[in-house]
Structure formats: structure tokens, C-alpha cells
Amino acid sequence: MIRRARGGVVMVTAGDLMVVRPKRFVLPMWLVVLGLVLRWAARFCWWCLRHPVAVGLVVTAVVLYVEHGWPGVVVPLVLASAVSALWRWRDEASWWRWCAGPLLGRFRQVFVYRRAWDEAMTLCGLAATYDHLPVLPQLLRVRSDQALDVLTVRMVRGQTPADFQQVTANLAYAFGRRHARVYSERPDTPPTRTGYWALPLGWADRLRFRDRPTLVYLVLVRTDALRPVVPPFDTPAVPDFTALPLARREDLGTWSLHLLATHVLIGGATRSGKGSVLWSLVRSLAGGITSGLVRLWVIDPKGGMEFAMGRPLFARFACKSFEAMADLLDEAVTVMRERQTRLAGTVRVHTPTEADPLVAVVIDEMAALTAYLQDVDLRKRIAGSLGLLLSQGAGVGVLVVAALQDPRKEVLPFRDLFPTRIALGLTEAAQVDLVLGDGARNRGALADQMPRWAKGVGYVILDGTPEPMRVRFSYVTDDDIRDLAQRYPAPADAADILAQVGRESTPEPARPALPRPRRGPLLPDALRTILDADQGEPR
């Protein structure tokens, strides 16, 4: 063994192997301590720049304590608490948005999510390895409200929102929650600005809501706001067909249905709350029913057990005879054809008026018409009318709202013709994708795991985004239905729309018949010459 002096270079030979050790530089201790101090000072300054509010509050508290002692700190806290309580009493929504939400979100970010972040990301399979080092998604911000925590996460390079959506349930339980959803864009929408500050605030909103493909938003349900029963919403005098209030969202907001120029499919098992969806829709349209702006044509194959109580609301109603149900659908096709002839070349989307109302065909159990009906000819007739209405009726104001229990293709062959879909409690995991579309369950629509209390709780797809939203529809009692039928009956002439069709239809112009050329088998010219010569000779 060869000893070497401190800082020297020693060459050791072992056979043909030569090991060369470079000279080692040793930094003095004072330089190491100075570097660490500068490093931590730079980090502290950067933290202060990123958190100016917290720094300002701490500096203010220290100054007040130095100048006035403990009263200088306690008195402002009491005054701030009083102002906060008054603010919450006067406007709780803005109080959560600007005061309680940011404070609670920052507290939960530091003391709840950061403590379990590395472990949760690793065990959920979202950690990656680069250059032999672990790389984790970065938690940027937490926003809280009355019921939700919205986590803004920067993904690792090479990840997509689909990677987070596949482990949505794992992420929920990793942070001690039961429900979670992943959004590729901000789940909230930009506010509408008015007044003097609309222009600069609009620029700020454009920056806040800009497209950021590197971020993903994880929404965790902290308090389930859908457990209480949702009371019926107020009935508007003139329904807004682009925003009909039907349900409560998880963030305590109101979910509104865009009914104009669309068809609605409601899928759910027995006793899952399909009646809540249908009657919530009828209640939101009641003001237009009595004014003649909306005509409801209702089919109840269960003998009227669901809709017979609200019979005065409906312009047409069929509940016992399947022939009558088929006739109703055929008449809806007749109305659709008349409007196509009248509106062609004028508009592309029908606008409901009292003279030309919106016709909504509501079907309670669609499988009874398309799959379980024993009369094959009648079933084919119904399927043909439904196919025409679903493929051509939305633009001319003849809409279909259908509910069913089994969404399989053999039960409902034209399931894909419904643009708007609602999934209530279902019995199988595969049925979720059949109702809402492929991949909906991976994105958080766990409609097959509904608890027993969740009557009327379902998942809907937000406009313009593929991510589902969990909502609870309002519960309309029997007394509410009787009150609706008494206060908002359909006009006496509501069923005469077919008579209007007969008066307004424009017949097709008569066209002269064109001479049809003689057709025959294609033959060579030489053979055709011989045949023509034979035909010219007398027999």
C-alpha cells in the first residue's frame, strides 16, 4: 500500500491496470458556510416575492406589536373578524371567492396536500424517473370553496391529462376523499365583465383563462353538497331554452340544460331518479306550456304511472295503446316534415314562438317501444319514426327527451343520435360509457357506484368539455305536480298543431315527366348491327 501526501496525485499499478486519482480540492469551511447562507437568503427572497400578502401581514403585525404592544395586534384582528362576519352575512359567495377560499386553500395546500404529495404521486403511478432521479408532478396552487378543493398541477414532461384521469379514484382516496375529477382546462368559466373596469378586467381574465397545456386541474370533493334533497327551482315565466335550471352542482352552483336544438337521453336503473330529471324539465318549461311557447307530447308506456298526474300540462298524451304511441310519433314526423319544407333556405335552427312552438316528445321508458314490444311491425314503425326525429328533428324544433334503464345497442340502436346525455345510478361499469361516451368512467363518472341515498344524483357532460360533472336533480313531489297541472295547463287548442300543418304545407311543384332512354344490355357494336339488321327484315 502506497501512502500519498495530502492533495497529491498517486499512480497505483496492479498488473496491466493503472488507476489515476486526480488532485482533491478542499474548500475552506468559511466559504462553505457563506455559500449556504447566500443560497438560503436567495430562496427566502424568492419566497417573499411569490407571497407578498403573507409577507405584508407579518410585517404589519410586527410593526403594530413594536409600536403598540399586544393591543396593536389583537384590536385589528377583532375588527377584521367583525368585517369578515358582516361580509359573509351580506354576500357569502363573494366572501368565499375573495376571502375564505384563498385562505383555506393556502392552509390546506401547506398542511394537507404538500405533506402527502410525494407519497400520493408515487403510489398512484404518476412519478417518473429521469437521469436516475425521481420526477414528480408539481402542486402549484389550491383553491377552495364551500365544498371543493381545486388543485392546479403541473404535469411531468411526457404526461397527459389522461394519465391522471385513469387514476382518479386512486387520487381521491389517497387524499382521504371519495370523489375526485380531473379537468384538462379550468373547471370554472370566465366571468362576464361590465362597467368601467370591464376592459382591464377582461384582459386579466384572458390571461387567467388562457390555454395552458402543461397544467391539469384535480378537483376533490371535500364536503358532499349533494346529500341534501334539492328543492324544486322557481318556474320562469318565459323559459330560456339555452339554460333551463334542473340540478345542483357539487360546487353549490346551478346546472342548466341547453335544450335548444338537441335531444336528451337519460339512463338510469330502477329507482335511480329518472322521474326527478323529467319532472324538473317539465317544471322549468311550465311557463312556456301555458303561454303556448312549448308543446309537450308525452308517451308513458307504463300505463301512465309516471305522467298521468300531470295530464293537463301535455298537449298530447299516450299511455296505454302502443298504436296510439306509434301514431303520435308519426304525427311528430309530419310536423317535422312541414317545418323542413317551410324553413328550408330561411334559417338553420328553429326559434320557438307562440305561433310556431317547440315540440318536445317525452318518452318515459324507451326500451318498451324499441325492444320489448312484441308486435314486430309496430316496433319497426316506431323505430323508423324515432330514427327520423333523432336525425332530423333537432334543427326544426321537434325534440326527443327519452329515459331508459338498459342503454345497450340492441335495446336502443340509435343511442349515438342523442347529443345530450345524463347518467344516473347504473348497475354495470360498462353502462357508464354506453350512456356518456367512451372513457367517461375513467374521467370520474362513477355512476355504477351510487350509494343508496343518491336518488336523482347523476353525471352530465359540461358544454365544450369532455369531463363529467356530478349533479343532483331537484325532487318534485306529487303535490308540486298537481300544483303545476293546475297553474300551468296547456291551451285548449294545444293539440291542433296538425291542423296548422295542413293549412301551412306547401305542395311540391309539378314537374313534367322526362322521356326515359331505352336501356338494354351492353353489346359490342358489331353484334348490335346484326341484331338491328335482323329486326328490319320481315318474318
Side-chain angles (χ1 to χ4, degrees):
M1 182 175 180
I2 304 177
R3 295 185 178 180
R4 62 184 178 87
R6 183 179 180 86
V9 179
V10 178
M11 292 184 297
V12 180
T13 303
D16 296 332
L17 180 62
M18 179 178 296
V19 180
V20 179
R21 296 182 179 178
K23 183 177 180 180
R24 185 176 62 179
F25 296 96
V26 179
L27 292 177
M29 184 58 64
W30 66 271
L31 190 58
V32 174
V33 173
L34 179 61
L36 292 176
V37 170
L38 293 177
R39 179 182 179 183
W40 285 106
R43 288 188 175 183
F44 177 75
C45 293
W46 177 245
W47 186 91
C48 293
L49 291 176
R50 292 183 58 188
H51 304 85
V53 177
V55 174
L57 291 176
V58 172
V59 172
T60 303
V62 171
V63 172
L64 290 176
Y65 176 75
V66 172
E67 295 291 336
H68 306 284
W70 286 110
V73 178
V74 174
V75 172
L77 288 177
V78 173
L79 292 177
S81 301
V83 171
S84 176
L86 180 62
W87 186 1
R88 182 179 183 180
W89 175 58
R90 299 293 296 178
D91 190 355
E92 186 175 2
S94 64
W95 179 77
W96 272 103
R97 182 176 182 85
W98 299 105
C99 180
L103 293 177
L104 180 60
R106 185 58 184 169
F107 176 83
R108 295 184 62 81
Q109 178 180 356
V110 175
F111 296 100
V112 177
Y113 294 110
R114 285 199 183 278
R115 295 180 60 183
W117 186 256
D118 294 352
E119 181 182 0
M121 293 297 104
T122 303
L123 297 181
C124 291
L126 296 174
T129 303
Y130 176 73
D131 197 15
H132 304 288
L133 296 175
V135 183
L136 301 175
Q138 184 180 359
L139 177 61
L140 300 181
R141 183 187 178 191
V142 176
R143 293 186 297 111
S144 299
D145 57 18
Q146 299 98 313
L148 305 178
D149 288 339
V150 182
L151 283 64
T152 304
V153 183
R154 176 177 286 119
M155 297 180 291
V156 177
R157 288 187 182 273
Q159 286 183 341
T160 63
D163 298 328
F164 286 78
Q165 292 168 352
Q166 293 176 357
V167 293
T168 301
N170 305 70
L171 290 171
Y173 282 90
F175 293 110
R177 302 299 167 192
R178 293 190 179 274
H179 303 286
R181 254 160 304 285
V182 175
Y183 295 91
S184 57
E185 299 178 357
R186 288 190 60 154
D188 51 346
T189 56
T192 302
R193 303 295 186 180
T194 57
Y196 296 102
W197 299 97
L199 184 59
L201 291 178
W203 290 341
D205 292 337
R206 187 178 302 175
L207 178 64
R208 290 170 52 207
F209 291 89
R210 68 186 185 277
D211 185 22
R212 305 179 70 179
T214 60
L215 301 184
V216 71
Y217 301 90
L218 174 62
V219 179
L220 294 167
V221 180
R222 189 179 68 255
T223 301
D224 196 349
L226 303 185
R227 275 188 172 272
V229 176
V230 179
F233 294 93
D234 295 335
T235 302
V238 179
D240 183 2
F241 298 107
T242 62
L244 298 173
L246 300 186
R248 176 187 294 168
R249 306 193 310 184
E250 288 177 322
D251 58 357
L252 298 179
T254 300
W255 180 77
S256 300
L257 172 66
H258 188 288
L259 186 62
L260 191 64
T262 188
H263 304 292
V264 183
L265 176 63
I266 306 164
T270 304
R271 312 303 300 173
S272 62
K274 296 187 293 294
S276 296
V277 184
L278 295 173
W279 280 112
S280 297
L281 176 61
V282 173
R283 182 180 178 87
S284 64
L285 294 173
I289 291 174
T290 190
S291 65
L293 193 63
V294 182
R295 305 286 171 87
L296 291 184
W297 293 13
V298 178
I299 296 177
D300 189 355
K302 296 186 295 187
M305 292 300 297
E306 182 66 40
F307 284 104
M309 192 176 298
R311 178 64 183 87
L313 293 164
F314 312 137
R316 300 289 305 278
F317 184 67
C319 64
K320 296 181 179 180
S321 172
F322 286 99
E323 289 80 4
M325 299 176 194
D327 293 340
L328 187 150
L329 293 175
D330 291 341
E331 293 168 2
V333 173
T334 304
V335 174
M336 179 191 70
R337 293 297 191 195
E338 182 272 334
R339 288 186 177 179
Q340 287 176 339
T341 303
R342 179 162 45 88
L343 300 178
T346 305
V347 295
R348 293 189 298 171
V349 178
H350 170 264
T351 301
T353 61
E354 295 182 4
D356 201 11
L358 177 76
V359 177
V361 181
V362 181
I363 306 175
D364 181 32
E365 184 50 59
M366 200 171 194
L369 305 179
T370 60
Y372 306 146
L373 184 59
Q374 296 180 355
D375 191 335
V376 178
D377 295 335
L378 194 59
R379 186 169 69 241
K380 290 182 179 179
R381 177 184 165 193
I382 291 175
S385 299
L386 284 174
L388 289 174
L389 292 175
L390 292 172
S391 60
Q392 305 176 23
V396 294
V398 183
L399 312 179
V400 177
V401 180
L404 80 166
Q405 299 182 23
D406 190 353
R408 291 178 299 173
K409 196 71 173 180
E410 53 269 22
V411 176
L412 188 62
F414 26 75
R415 184 185 63 245
D416 296 335
L417 297 179
F418 287 90
T420 303
R421 306 180 189 182
I422 301 171
L424 300 174
L426 297 169
T427 57
E428 300 177 4
Q431 293 180 354
V432 180
D433 291 345
L434 292 178
V435 176
L436 297 179
D438 292 339
R441 193 179 186 278
N442 290 335
R443 293 191 294 269
L446 304 179
D448 58 307
Q449 298 181 5
M450 287 291 185
R452 295 181 180 179
W453 58 265
K455 299 294 192 301
V457 178
Y459 292 88
V460 297
I461 300 297
L462 298 177
D463 295 336
T465 61
E467 292 83 5
M469 168 68 74
R470 185 167 169 263
V471 300
R472 183 164 191 171
F473 292 88
S474 62
Y475 177 62
V476 183
T477 63
D478 294 349
D479 294 336
D480 294 331
I481 296 174
R482 296 188 186 96
D483 182 66
L484 281 177
Q486 183 179 2
R487 294 173 53 195
Y488 302 98
D493 60 344
D496 70 343
I497 191 170
L498 292 179
Q500 299 176 12
V501 171
R503 293 193 301 267
E504 297 175 0
S505 298
T506 303
E508 290 288 335
R511 299 178 181 178
L514 299 178
R516 300 181 62 183
R518 183 179 179 182
R519 296 182 179 180
L522 299 179
L523 300 176
D525 294 340
L527 184 57
R528 290 179 60 185
T529 303
I530 296 175
L531 292 176
D532 293 341
D534 292 342
Q535 292 177 359
E537 295 179 358
R539 295 184 178 180

